[in-house]
Amino acid sequence: MKKRVRLAALGMAAAMILGACSSAGGSGETKQEAGNAQTEGQPSGGSSSGGSSAGGTELTVWLTPQWKGVFSGTEEGADYDSFFKEAAKRYMESHPDVTIKVEVIDGSTRDENLSVAQQTNTLPDIMFEGAFTMSSFYHKGAIVPITDLITDEDKADISEGIWNNCMIEDEIFIYPFFHMPGTLVYNADMFRAAGLDDKVAGQYEIATWTPDEFVGILEALKAANPNVYPMALFALNNQADTWNLAYLRMFGNQFYSDDNHLVVNEDSGVKALEYILNLYNSGLTVPGAESLDSNTNNAMFQNQQIAVSFTNSVLLANLAADMESGALPAFDYRLANIPGDPHPNGFTYVTGAMVMNTGDEARIAAAKEFVKYFCTDEELVTASKNGTPVRASVVSKVSGELPYLEAYNKNDQYLFNFSKNLPGYTELRNVLFPELQAALTGEKTAQQALDDYVKNGNAILDEAKKSSVVYN
């Protein structure tokens, strides 16, 4: 039970905001009541903005609810704005000419608030949010690059896989703070019952299996317990489609070309989809995947109806908490990479700070300095343990509290940027799952489905790129 208590600490604070989005493919949107919180007398998502005057510079920070407290939700008076208020207080003590206000906004109205703010020239100076959820605003010109803030020391302390999720071409647009890595999760008790003891990794390790090994694992699971589905699979909508994107990379497909066009219909991508279809048609996954969503699959895994499913750091913390409270029967769950050849593939959802394009050079410069401060201060960055820290230096300090951190950090070498922060990615998501459905039902072959996805998807990308401020 100690495992579950300690794991619950990993992201339990973040789970209040991130749990909903994680099962939805990292949309980052929530309807937390706390998102309507008011700070410094400002309305949530209102039209307040910072300013510059002879008396100094006023900065405004917007964030959606991420975690409560400065370092822990157990702190007295802990709230979603606690960390940034404390960081602002410390910063202003040595920068008396700067005033910093903090506002918590509702994630479900984030895009609307930001769009209105950009149109009315009332953007906040800093936004703290998920990189993926803010990608459209990079291309609207609402966010300025912060490449000039990043030192060689920063680059060495944070993995290349994380940085890739924060960039468009050669420019960095988000200063990463923590992240939410995605993996597979499996029922180790079922593995042992199927004679798969040698495939079970350590309690806080992430197993790596080849595609061929994975087929053997699923076949053994099916033979040992015909009443349990070996593997989760879903294609009802675009939610949690990041796992499907990873499956399509299983045999080395890069998904995007150097000129930012889809290439997943190349032989390596077709081979990957055919692999998944073979699993499906052989009864090694849940049936009817074309009409199942990720939430249904997740619930079936929790109820021990599926042996191998999907998870991320927050869903894993939620699973631990439910077992600890007795809401779910306890079983031995472990992590695994998404199989791949020549190596597994992993992805993550990065959250961090963005400097907004207010058009005021003095405010932009001041905002950059404050972002640099709270993203590098040795004490303040330990608050990133409320998610999964991106800094190796933080991982080394808090790994005893959060035992999966070392494995996640080691796994950073396999990360890919599933959206490449491209313009039009939101629309791109909506043309993938219908093609997966067509392949699963036999309406189209793997090649036909991916050809149609690439054709329609590239049209979306080309059109979106025309209006991108970054590319124009």
Side-chain angles (χ1 to χ4, degrees):
M1 192 59 68
K2 289 182 179 178
K3 165 186 174 180
R4 297 185 177 97
V5 172
R6 289 197 293 166
L7 178 57
L10 175 61
M12 275 306 297
M16 291 180 284
I17 174 68
L18 295 175
C21 76
S22 61
S23 63
S27 68
E29 298 185 356
T30 115
K31 297 184 179 178
Q32 298 283 342
E33 291 181 3
N36 296 319
Q38 296 182 17
T39 58
E40 302 294 341
Q42 294 293 342
S44 169
S47 59
S48 62
S49 62
S52 301
S53 66
T57 301
E58 181 180 285
L59 301 177
T60 299
V61 179
W62 280 8
L63 65 141
T64 56
Q66 301 290 339
W67 75 93
K68 285 189 175 182
V70 180
F71 301 105
S72 170
T74 62
E75 298 164 1
E76 183 179 355
D79 210 339
Y80 293 111
D81 58 3
S82 299
F83 171 80
F84 288 95
K85 281 188 170 182
E86 177 64 21
K89 176 185 175 182
R90 297 185 185 190
Y91 185 78
M92 289 187 293
E93 287 175 353
S94 58
H95 296 78
D97 58 329
V98 178
T99 302
I100 301 170
K101 299 193 299 182
V102 181
E103 300 180 29
V104 182
I105 68 170
D106 190 335
S108 65
T109 58
R110 175 202 58 233
D111 287 1
E112 178 184 354
N113 289 338
L114 284 170
S115 294
V116 170
Q118 185 176 18
Q119 293 167 10
T120 57
N121 197 29
T122 56
L123 280 169
D125 298 278
I126 297 166
M127 187 76 194
F128 190 84
E129 180 60 300
F132 163 53
T133 62
M134 291 288 290
S135 60
S136 65
F137 290 97
Y138 309 144
H139 298 284
K140 292 179 181 178
I143 303 171
V144 300
I146 57 168
T147 312
D148 56 315
L149 296 185
I150 310 305
T151 66
D152 289 341
E153 183 179 2
D154 295 326
K155 292 177 180 178
D157 201 24
I158 301 173
S159 72
E160 183 179 356
I162 297 294
W163 286 120
N164 287 342
N165 279 266
C166 302
M167 301 177 69
I168 303 177
E169 303 301 334
D170 296 325
E171 294 283 6
I172 298 171
F173 282 81
I174 182 170
Y175 210 124
F177 198 77
F178 58 59
H179 69 123
M180 185 171 61
T183 63
L184 298 181
V185 61
Y186 60 98
N187 188 318
D189 294 333
M190 292 182 182
F191 271 54
R192 296 187 188 97
L196 296 168
D197 302 65
D198 62 325
K199 303 301 181 185
V200 176
Q203 190 173 25
Y204 301 116
E205 297 176 352
I206 302 176
T208 295
W209 310 311
T210 68
D212 286 344
E213 285 179 316
F214 193 44
V215 173
I217 287 170
L218 298 179
E219 289 175 342
L221 289 167
K222 182 180 180 181
N225 193 343
N227 296 320
V228 172
Y229 301 118
M231 176 186 167
L233 192 63
F234 41 85
L236 177 64
N237 51 36
N238 66 8
Q239 304 304 289
D241 56 357
T242 35
W243 280 269
N244 289 331
L245 296 178
Y247 295 147
L248 292 173
R249 292 174 177 260
M250 289 179 69
F251 294 102
N253 187 270
Q254 296 301 302
F255 215 86
Y256 304 105
S257 63
D258 291 340
D259 63 352
N260 296 328
H261 283 98
L262 294 169
V263 292
V264 69
N265 61 337
E266 294 177 343
D267 289 347
S268 55
V270 173
K271 181 180 179 180
L273 182 52
E274 288 176 341
Y275 176 93
I276 294 299
L277 294 178
N278 287 334
L279 296 182
Y280 180 69
N281 293 327
S282 299
L284 299 179
T285 74
V286 291
E290 66 276 4
S291 59
L292 294 178
D293 63 12
S294 57
N295 289 333
T296 300
N297 278 257
N298 189 43
M300 292 175 71
F301 175 75
Q302 293 174 345
N303 292 322
Q304 301 185 63
Q305 297 169 287
I306 293 176
V308 182
S309 188
F310 71 100
T311 195
N312 57 46
S313 55
V314 172
L315 286 177
L316 198 67
N318 292 342
L319 178 65
D322 285 342
M323 289 186 181
E324 178 69 19
S325 69
L328 288 175
F331 61 86
D332 187 0
Y333 54 87
R334 309 262 171 132
L335 298 182
N337 281 308
I338 297 162
D341 181 11
H343 57 74
N345 292 294
F347 62 89
T348 192
Y349 306 105
V350 177
T351 295
M354 285 147 277
V355 175
M356 309 305 287
N357 186 7
T358 60
D360 186 320
E361 293 301 325
R363 285 168 56 192
I364 290 173
K368 284 186 174 183
E369 289 184 13
F370 181 53
V371 165
K372 180 72 173 179
Y373 170 70
F374 69 76
C375 286
T376 60
D377 180 84
E378 186 173 351
E379 183 178 10
L380 289 175
V381 294
T382 61
S384 61
K385 69 182 181 179
N386 287 286
T388 303
V390 296
R391 289 187 175 273
S393 57
V394 176
V395 170
S396 65
K397 291 180 182 179
V398 302
S399 59
E401 302 175 51
L402 309 170
Y404 277 107
L405 286 185
E406 189 172 336
Y408 281 137
N409 194 49
K410 181 180 179 182
N411 227 40
D412 283 352
Q413 62 183 307
Y414 303 129
L415 295 179
F416 64 88
N417 185 346
F418 59 88
S419 74
K420 209 177 178 182
N421 295 328
L422 292 175
Y425 179 73
T426 301
E427 294 81 1
L428 193 64
R429 297 179 69 195
N430 293 328
V431 298
L432 175 61
F433 71 87
E435 299 302 337
L436 295 179
Q437 291 174 349
L440 289 166
T441 59
E443 180 184 342
K444 296 181 181 180
T445 65
Q447 184 73 66
Q448 291 170 333
L450 292 179
D451 282 345
D452 289 344
Y453 169 61
V454 167
K455 176 183 177 181
N456 296 328
N458 282 338
I460 290 171
L461 292 174
D462 285 341
E463 186 62 28
K465 191 172 181 179
K466 293 178 182 178
S467 58
S468 167
V469 172
V470 176
Y471 288 108
N472 296 281

